[in-house]
Amino acid sequence: MNIIECAGLAALHRLDPERAHGLAIRALASGLVPLPGTATSSRLATRLAGLSLPNPVGLAAGFDKNAEAAGPLTRAGFGFVEVGAATPRPQPGNPRPRLFRLSEDRGVINRFGFNNDGAAAIAARLARVDRRVPLGINLGANKDSADRAADFSTVLAAIGPHVDFATVNVSSPNTEKLRDLQGKAALSALLSGVIATRDALARPIPVFLKIAPDLTAPELADVAEAAMTAGIDAIIATNTTLARDGLASRHAAEAGGLSGAPLFDRSTRVLARLSALTEGKLPLIGVGGIATAEDARQKILAGASAVQLYSALVYRGLSLAARIARDLDAMLARDGVHNVADLVGQGRDRWL
């Protein structure tokens, strides 16, 4: 991270977190942020659910909820980018304040509640994006919907033609009872509808499922079975947690989902268990607490074919993705690894 980026982060951290984030998105969209371009090499090149990724380091959903800076983000060093979550109709989300920096813990708590401009507006923006790397949409449901399961299909039908993959998000803790859709019967029915909608697209795209880190062992087994039976193309492990173990920040008791460094161990254990349950038959994407190339390597060793970042960008800047990709490439070269895929799951037992 250079001096200019350090100074910019310091200035943003003096502002309310949500206001600071909004300014960062506007700066990106306006072309005011220097972009490093995509980091890649033969060692980093990754195949994920039929997608060709220049590197396995992606951007998690939530950073650019409304696809306002999707084009620039595909040139920011990431191997793939996910925007959203989008819901069928616009909604304001939960009351402010709803975003908290836990600086002492290198974590973030949010309780946004799927605030977004709605599927139509987001689809219109995505239709204009020149995609430099695979770009995906996180699918959500309106808080007041009479049929939340149907909402996911509605958003996919609207936005699917303009993206390369879509993620079913039933694991956000900030929409009441949304996580109930992770139950086996409800999830199976929901995924069946989403897959049918995907198959009806003129250009069918991979569909991923994002799960919570707070599932019990039987619940995780049910989710894995439902995903594989439905024909889901990959699972993202994990979303934010409701746990608050060992936090030092004064914001630790705030309601919402916790992400960042405190989530790393919990999410990696879930990832490893999921890898064991699926026996390598389903690609996994590791999310939660990644801030260094070594963190990314551990997720890959635990079973991830690719990883995603978000919270660490708050503390280390947007250039982090390219730094992690370059450092990971150097690790692979040092260890004589031909391609990052050769590491997937090789250290899984450590996390079981």
Side-chain angles (χ1 to χ4, degrees):
M1 185 162 51
N2 59 41
I3 294 174
I4 294 175
E5 189 171 16
C6 285
L9 281 175
L12 288 174
H13 278 221
R14 287 194 287 270
L15 301 176
D16 166 78
E18 188 166 351
R19 184 183 175 207
H21 186 79
L23 287 172
I25 290 293
R26 286 195 288 277
L28 268 167
S30 301
L32 299 177
V33 179
L35 301 172
T38 305
T40 191
S41 74
S42 60
R43 288 177 292 269
L44 293 176
T46 298
R47 291 288 294 175
L48 175 70
L51 301 173
S52 295
L53 313 181
N55 70 63
V57 183
L59 176 65
F63 184 85
D64 185 8
K65 290 177 176 293
N66 290 307
E68 295 169 289
L73 285 169
T74 68
R75 303 189 296 275
F78 299 100
F80 62 113
V81 169
E82 185 175 343
V83 298
T87 57
R89 291 173 284 107
Q91 63 181 23
N94 295 323
R96 300 190 187 198
R98 52 193 181 182
L99 180 64
F100 305 88
R101 300 186 198 98
L102 282 67
S103 299
E104 300 92 333
D105 306 296
R106 285 294 189 263
V108 173
I109 289 175
N110 90 81
R111 52 172 180 261
F112 281 116
F114 284 168
N115 58 310
N116 74 104
D117 293 342
I122 293 171
R125 290 182 191 126
L126 288 170
R128 299 191 296 268
V129 173
D130 177 17
R131 306 195 291 274
R132 304 296 179 89
V133 299
L135 176 62
I137 183 67
N138 191 275
L139 311 174
N142 282 117
K143 183 177 181 179
D144 60 354
S145 175
D147 187 352
R148 286 183 178 170
D151 279 8
F152 295 92
S153 293
T154 298
V155 177
L156 178 58
I159 300 181
H162 311 298
V163 292
D164 302 301
F165 66 92
T167 298
V168 176
N169 184 357
V170 291
S171 51
S172 170
N174 299 317
T175 296
E176 186 179 1
K177 295 185 178 180
L178 182 71
R179 286 189 171 187
D180 292 351
L181 293 174
Q182 292 178 117
K184 188 175 181 180
L187 183 61
S188 295
L190 184 156
L191 294 180
S192 177
V194 169
I195 293 298
T197 300
R198 184 275 304 275
D199 291 346
L201 294 174
R203 179 180 57 92
I205 58 177
V207 172
F208 304 160
L209 172 66
K210 190 167 189 175
I211 66 170
D214 305 321
L215 297 169
T216 65
E219 288 170 340
L220 188 61
D222 284 346
V223 165
E225 182 180 348
M228 294 181 74
T229 299
I232 287 295
D233 297 286
I235 297 179
I236 301 178
T238 67
N239 212 318
T240 58
T241 182
L242 294 172
R244 295 292 188 269
D245 304 330
L247 298 179
S249 171
R250 63 188 177 90
H251 296 304
E254 292 288 348
L258 171 67
S259 59
L263 180 57
F264 184 83
D265 284 2
R266 177 183 289 264
S267 62
T268 309
R269 286 194 297 271
V270 171
L271 172 67
R273 291 173 190 144
L274 195 56
S275 175
L277 285 166
T278 57
E279 299 178 334
K281 298 174 183 176
L282 192 64
L284 306 177
I285 301 167
V287 192
I290 299 170
T292 67
E294 178 58 23
D295 293 337
R297 192 176 78 94
Q298 287 301 321
K299 295 282 190 185
I300 294 164
L301 288 168
S305 294
V307 300
Q308 288 179 318
L309 319 174
Y310 178 0
S311 297
L313 303 177
V314 173
Y315 299 104
R316 303 196 179 205
L318 189 62
S319 65
L320 180 62
R323 295 201 305 274
I324 288 179
R326 288 194 301 266
D327 290 349
L328 180 60
D329 190 40
M331 287 180 174
L332 297 173
R334 176 199 67 196
D335 296 338
V337 178
H338 176 70
N339 183 267
V340 65
D342 298 335
L343 294 184
V344 175
Q346 295 303 305
R348 184 176 69 194
D349 291 350
R350 174 191 169 189
W351 295 97
L352 294 176

